[in-house]
């Protein structure tokens, strides 16, 4: 499958932005300046970017509590995201949503979601709108192996098939629903679940951007062509805990180190495109430097932006009465 050079460069920048954004949050969260919970997406970048590289501005996505990667891949600006995570009024949700509830409807991002399994029902609604309007767009739900057991997800799979909606359900399977191994908690297989609802199933390695891009392209083309929903099962590994502060005592001592060494999607991407002569390493280094500057500027701005102000409810009463 041929991928345009500009798409590859844009995808690399998007993956690098996710990686640097999350690694910086890992450092900043430890200072105590960021309110609420933070769930990092490091190690999973190729999934969000490989899928979203096949989407248009008119397509919609819904995410999870681990949603920063999906937001960036769909085009949400990092400055507004960083301000939102810091709870500032300049955030994309005016500082009222925080890390788990970033949304930007202007680029089709219906929102990260603190409710496990909260995204698939939203995507059914979005997909129904696309089908009714006949706009040729698709709706994509990202959710994890833990959310695959939720009734809302199973009901959404059923509804999407019954109504033949242009929806794609992306199972980002990192092997753990919070701290519980998927092998312990998920009966059967995702493939069997897709078959039970009469939709095609595609599986891929989430550390391989090219594999995700191709698999997602097939699933999205199926849905966009009016053939009903499809399921994409992406196998990946997260590098940090379920949330910042998670000691990860449920994981083998060398599990994360092995993932970083052997399954780094950014390293694998760089090796492939440079060995193929598509890019010089120096060109990718320039992207890295530009992204680092962008993240640094976003942090500085977020720390200096104002906090949201509570509305003066009595003043409103006086104005109306």
């Amino acid at each position: 499958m041929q991928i345009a050079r500009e798409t590859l460069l844009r995808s690399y920048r998007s993956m690098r932005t996710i990686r640097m954004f999350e690694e910086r949050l890992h450092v900043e969260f430890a200072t105590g300046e960021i309110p609420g919970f933070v769930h990092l997406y490091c190690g999973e970048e190729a999934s969000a970017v490989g899928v979203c590289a096949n989407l248009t501005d008119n397509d919609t996505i819904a995410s999870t509590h681990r949603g920063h990667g999906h937001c960036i891949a769909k085009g949400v600006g990092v400055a507004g995201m960083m301000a939102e995570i810091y709870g500032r009024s300049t955030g994309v949700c005016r500082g009222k949503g925080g890390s788990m509830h970033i949304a930007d409807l202007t680029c089709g991002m219906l929102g990260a979601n603190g409710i496990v399994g909260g995204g698939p029902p939203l995507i059914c609604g979005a997909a129904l709108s696309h089908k009714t309007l006949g706009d040729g767009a698709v709706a994509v739900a990202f959710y994890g192996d833990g959310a695959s057991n939720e009734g809302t997800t199973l009901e959404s799979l059923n509804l999407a098939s019954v109504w033949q909606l242009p929806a794609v359900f992306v199972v980002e399977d990192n092997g753990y629903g919070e701290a519980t191994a998927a092998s312990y908690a998920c009966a059967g297989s995702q493939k069997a679940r897709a078959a039970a609802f009469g939709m095609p199933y595609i599986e891929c390695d989430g550390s391989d951007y090219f594999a995700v891009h191709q698999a997602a392209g097939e699933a999205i083309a199926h849905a966009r062509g009016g053939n009903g929903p499809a399921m994409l099962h992406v196998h990946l590994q997260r590098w940090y805990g379920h949330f910042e502060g998670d000691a990860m005592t449920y994981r083998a001592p060398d599990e994360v180190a092995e993932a970083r060494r052997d399954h780094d999607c950014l390293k694998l991407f760089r090796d492939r495109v440079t060995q193929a002569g598509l890019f010089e390493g120096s060109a990718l280094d320039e992207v890295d430097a530009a992204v680092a500057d962008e993240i640094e500027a976003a942090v500085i701005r977020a720390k200096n932006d104002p906090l949201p102000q509570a509305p003066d409810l009595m003043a409103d009463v006086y104005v109306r009465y």
Side-chain angles (χ1 to χ4, degrees), residues 237-260:
Q237 299 183 53
R238 57 173 163 84
W239 289 5
Y240 292 104
H242 171 64
F243 58 89
E244 282 298 89
D246 176 7
M248 292 195 291
T249 55
Y250 49 89
R251 301 183 74 168
D254 59 347
E255 188 175 327
V256 174
E258 180 184 351
R260 288 176 177 266

Side-chain angles (χ1 to χ4, degrees), residues 23-36:
E23 288 183 335
R24 185 59 180 269
L25 281 182
H26 177 66
V27 172
E28 296 295 331
F29 187 83
T31 69
E33 296 181 66
I34 295 175

Side-chain angles (χ1 to χ4, degrees), residues 33-112:
E33 296 181 66
I34 295 175
F37 281 96
V38 168
H39 304 76
L40 301 181
Y41 196 70
C42 279
E44 306 182 11
E45 296 87 352
S47 176
V49 176
V51 171
C52 289
N54 287 280
L55 300 178
T56 70
D57 292 341
N58 292 329
D59 296 324
T60 48
I61 70 169
S63 182
T64 72
H65 54 274
R66 196 179 312 285
H68 305 158
H70 307 129
C71 290
I72 292 171
K74 195 60 173 72
V76 184
V78 296
M81 285 179 59
M82 191 67 76
E84 184 63 33
I85 291 170
Y86 269 87
R88 307 297 175 166
S89 61
T90 53
V92 290
C93 298
R94 300 184 181 180
K96 304 293 181 67
S99 172
M100 287 192 286
H101 299 97
I102 294 173
D104 189 347
L105 302 186
T106 65
C107 56
M109 174 52 178
L110 299 185

Side-chain angles (χ1 to χ4, degrees), residues 2-280:
Q2 292 289 336
I3 304 175
R5 191 173 185 275
E6 56 269 25
T7 299
L8 290 174
L9 190 59
R10 185 168 60 249
S11 293
Y12 178 76
R13 183 183 180 106
S14 186
M15 287 193 292
R16 180 60 70 187
T17 301
I18 296 169
R19 176 70 56 83
M20 289 188 172
F21 188 91
E22 299 293 66
E23 288 183 335
R24 185 59 180 269
L25 281 182
H26 177 66
V27 172
E28 296 295 331
F29 187 83
T31 69
E33 296 181 66
I34 295 175
F37 281 96
V38 168
H39 304 76
L40 301 181
Y41 196 70
C42 279
E44 306 182 11
E45 296 87 352
S47 176
V49 176
V51 171
C52 289
N54 287 280
L55 300 178
T56 70
D57 292 341
N58 292 329
D59 296 324
T60 48
I61 70 169
S63 182
T64 72
H65 54 274
R66 196 179 312 285
H68 305 158
H70 307 129
C71 290
I72 292 171
K74 195 60 173 72
V76 184
V78 296
M81 285 179 59
M82 191 67 76
E84 184 63 33
I85 291 170
Y86 269 87
R88 307 297 175 166
S89 61
T90 53
V92 290
C93 298
R94 300 184 181 180
K96 304 293 181 67
S99 172
M100 287 192 286
H101 299 97
I102 294 173
D104 189 347
L105 302 186
T106 65
C107 56
M109 174 52 178
L110 299 185
N113 207 310
I115 299 173
V116 177
L122 298 180
I123 283 309
C124 283
L128 178 59
S129 294
H130 293 318
K131 182 175 182 178
T132 302
L133 293 171
D135 59 11
V138 299
V140 177
F142 291 94
Y143 60 96
D145 45 278
S148 71
N149 292 333
E150 293 289 334
T152 51
T153 300
L154 298 171
E155 291 170 14
S156 297
L157 295 173
N158 181 69
L159 187 65
S161 284
V162 169
W163 287 354
Q164 287 292 282
L165 299 178
V168 176
F169 296 91
V170 181
V171 187
E172 293 191 316
D173 187 351
N174 60 33
Y176 297 96
E178 296 190 14
T180 304
S183 58
Y184 177 85
C186 293
S189 67
Q190 300 297 335
K191 182 178 182 179
R193 296 182 187 195
F197 293 109
M199 66 178 69
Y201 167 90
I202 306 172
E203 193 172 15
C204 66
D205 176 4
S207 67
D208 183 345
Y209 164 85
F210 296 91
V212 177
H213 187 282
Q214 180 171 340
E218 294 173 9
I220 290 166
H222 173 89
R224 202 185 299 282
N227 303 302
M231 180 183 290
L232 174 62
H233 186 185
V234 185
H235 295 277
L236 33 71
Q237 299 183 53
R238 57 173 163 84
W239 289 5
Y240 292 104
H242 171 64
F243 58 89
E244 282 298 89
D246 176 7
M248 292 195 291
T249 55
Y250 49 89
R251 301 183 74 168
D254 59 347
E255 188 175 327
V256 174
E258 180 184 351
R260 288 176 177 266
R261 183 184 68 243
D262 300 333
H263 303 284
D264 183 346
C265 58
L266 276 161
K267 180 180 183 302
L268 293 172
F269 182 97
R270 282 185 66 115
D271 288 347
R272 181 161 176 176
V273 298
T274 54
Q275 290 170 12
L278 294 171
F279 296 98
E280 295 292 334

